[in-house]
Amino acid sequence: MTISIALTKGRVEKQFLQYLQSRGFDVGPLIEKGRKLLVETDEFTCIFVKGWDVATYVEYGICDLGIVGEDILAETRPDVFDLMPLPFGKCRFALAGKPESIRHNRKRRIATKYPNVTQRFFREKGESVDIVKLEGSVELAPIVGLADAIVDIVETGTTLKENGLVVIEEIQLITARLIANRSALKIKKQSIQPFIEKLHGEGVYK
Amino acid sequence: MTISIALTKGRVEKQFLQYLQSRGFDVGPLIEKGRKLLVETDEFTCIFVKGWDVATYVEYGICDLGIVGEDILAETRPDVFDLMPLPFGKCRFALAGKPESIRHNRKRRIATKYPNVTQRFFREKGESVDIVKLEGSVELAPIVGLADAIVDIVETGTTLKENGLVVIEEIQLITARLIANRSALKIKKQSIQPFIEKLHGEGVYK
């Protein structure tokens, strides 16, 4: 029984393929995939989807395993088994804004792609905020006055810097994570266990 | 008072700039913008954001006008004034799937980026379906068995064809549309009216 993996397209994809290669897997067919979204190798079937969709494919049992950023898991809290962190895709959730931003007494407006994470962060601080959900280019919001600050993932900080923004507060460290479908983990244990052990070293599978 | 426009990044952006140019506007600074998200010309300020965010910037009054696909307006129903269709960004909402797909008696599962549009479409047909919200590559869902069919925008049909899918039913024609912030339309009438008339011809503004 081959195992199937849902993989985040783009930056994390390259890092995961390099990591697979370093662990002795043959990733040739995956690197030469071109525009294909579905690739089969001798060892596994891979589908390449948006980060936000990885957990959906795993939750519905289309894929046994998934590689996805912890940011997305924190936001969507899918019903999957969160197996382990992976040593790439490192960044952090941060509250960022203009350096000169002054705290007014009024309710602050926060722009973010992560409304649930933002809600929880401010609830724990005991502050009530208005959240504006954006899909991209969140760094633009404080510049044009849509928001007082943003909650976003920060990797190198270059995007913030280019837009004259600074990190106000760090919220959470993030890495890529290996997730699994709950029943596949039991039913396909014989295929999944050796894969995970090769990926990470022995003793991970409990 | 300069007017501000929120513009969908990418394909629609190029088509809109060509259209502006054909109507006699100087779009030089907008074409040479590089990575900038905010560009000012003599006639207007433009911000370049994801389609899903255009209406947000207009609704919150950050931009007076916005150019956005009708698909997004149909899905999110923002509180903005829908001024007029524009002669580009043409495509259609369609229900698509494998040609051999057989209608079972069980509830069908539909993958889409547009859950509200899909819900309304099937409600009007009197059919109850399960909707799986995806963020991208919706055409993969029927291939790997995540869904029986998809509801998505179709332009040329190439993506469907490449994935062995066909249009089962057309739902709605779509174009790009010009939207406006409700109060800007009244308060900045003196700036907005000449812009719209130059854009479209006289007699549009009521």
Side-chain angles (χ1 to χ4, degrees), chain A residues 130-198:
Chain A
D130 285 326
I131 294 172
V132 181
K133 170 85 192 291
L134 290 178
E135 299 295 326
S137 305
V138 179
E139 63 279 8
L140 185 65
I143 297 170
V144 297
L146 178 61
D148 299 299
I150 63 172
V151 166
D152 206 5
I153 51 168
V154 179
E155 196 187 353
T156 59
T158 310
T159 306
L160 289 183
K161 210 172 171 184
E162 280 178 358
N163 290 283
L165 304 178
V166 294
V167 169
I168 298 167
E169 194 174 337
E170 305 232 343
I171 298 176
Q172 186 189 326
L173 288 173
I174 287 163
T175 67
R177 297 194 72 94
L178 181 66
I179 59 170
N181 176 272
R182 291 192 184 279
S183 36
L185 208 55
K186 291 169 196 153
I187 295 164
K188 297 175 84 173
K189 189 173 174 176
Q190 280 194 313
S191 322
I192 293 177
Q193 184 161 4
F195 175 81
I196 294 176
E197 285 176 359
K198 191 170 169 186

Side-chain angles (χ1 to χ4, degrees), chain A residues 68-126:
Chain A
V68 60
E70 206 171 346
D71 55 322
I72 290 171
L73 298 177
E75 178 62 23
T76 59
R77 297 195 162 173
D79 185 18
V80 295
F81 199 90
D82 188 354
L83 275 173
M84 62 184 189
L86 294 168
F88 52 83
K90 284 177 187 167
C91 54
R92 57 202 201 277
F93 271 129
L95 175 68
K98 291 188 195 173
E100 72 275 19
S101 58
I102 304 152
R103 284 294 305 273
H104 301 281
N105 281 330
R106 64 173 178 77
K107 220 176 182 183
R108 285 199 286 178
R109 198 191 279 163
I110 311 295
T112 187
K113 280 183 266 185
Y114 304 91
N116 295 325
V117 169
T118 303
Q119 194 65 265
R120 286 201 296 273
F121 171 68
F122 281 101
R123 196 182 292 142
E124 279 166 26
K125 291 169 79 76

Side-chain angles (χ1 to χ4, degrees), chain B residues 110-160:
Chain B
I110 312 293
T112 187
K113 283 184 263 184
Y114 305 90
N116 295 325
V117 169
T118 303
Q119 193 65 264
R120 285 201 296 273
F121 171 68
F122 281 102
R123 196 181 293 139
E124 279 166 27
K125 292 169 77 78
E127 183 181 345
S128 170
V129 294
D130 286 326
I131 295 172
V132 181
K133 169 87 193 289
L134 290 178
E135 298 295 327
S137 306
V138 179
E139 64 279 8
L140 185 65
I143 297 169
V144 296
L146 177 60
D148 299 299
I150 63 173
V151 166
D152 205 5
I153 52 169
V154 179
E155 197 188 352
T156 60
T158 310
T159 306
L160 290 184

Side-chain angles (χ1 to χ4, degrees), chain B residues 2-78:
Chain B
T2 15
I3 57 174
S4 50
I5 309 174
L7 188 47
T8 302
K9 279 197 286 191
R11 197 174 47 83
V12 176
E13 165 190 337
K14 288 186 191 69
Q15 294 176 346
F16 176 61
L17 296 183
Q18 278 170 7
Y19 181 65
L20 273 183
Q21 202 162 27
S22 76
R23 308 301 290 180
F25 290 94
D26 171 24
V27 296
L30 301 176
I31 289 171
E32 294 143 22
K33 71 179 178 74
R35 283 185 59 190
K36 276 189 279 184
L37 301 175
L38 177 68
V39 183
E40 293 180 58
T41 77
D42 297 338
E43 291 170 288
F44 39 76
T45 302
C46 249
I47 67 162
F48 296 84
V49 294
K50 284 212 175 182
W52 295 96
D53 293 337
V54 164
T56 306
Y57 280 90
V58 174
E59 197 172 340
Y60 279 89
I62 305 303
C63 292
D64 306 316
L65 300 174
I67 312 293
V68 61
E70 206 171 346
D71 55 322
I72 291 171
L73 298 177
E75 177 62 23
T76 60
R77 297 196 163 175

Side-chain angles (χ1 to χ4, degrees), chain A residues 55-67:
Chain A
T56 306
Y57 279 90
V58 175
E59 198 172 339
Y60 278 89
I62 305 303
C63 291
D64 305 316
L65 299 173
I67 312 291

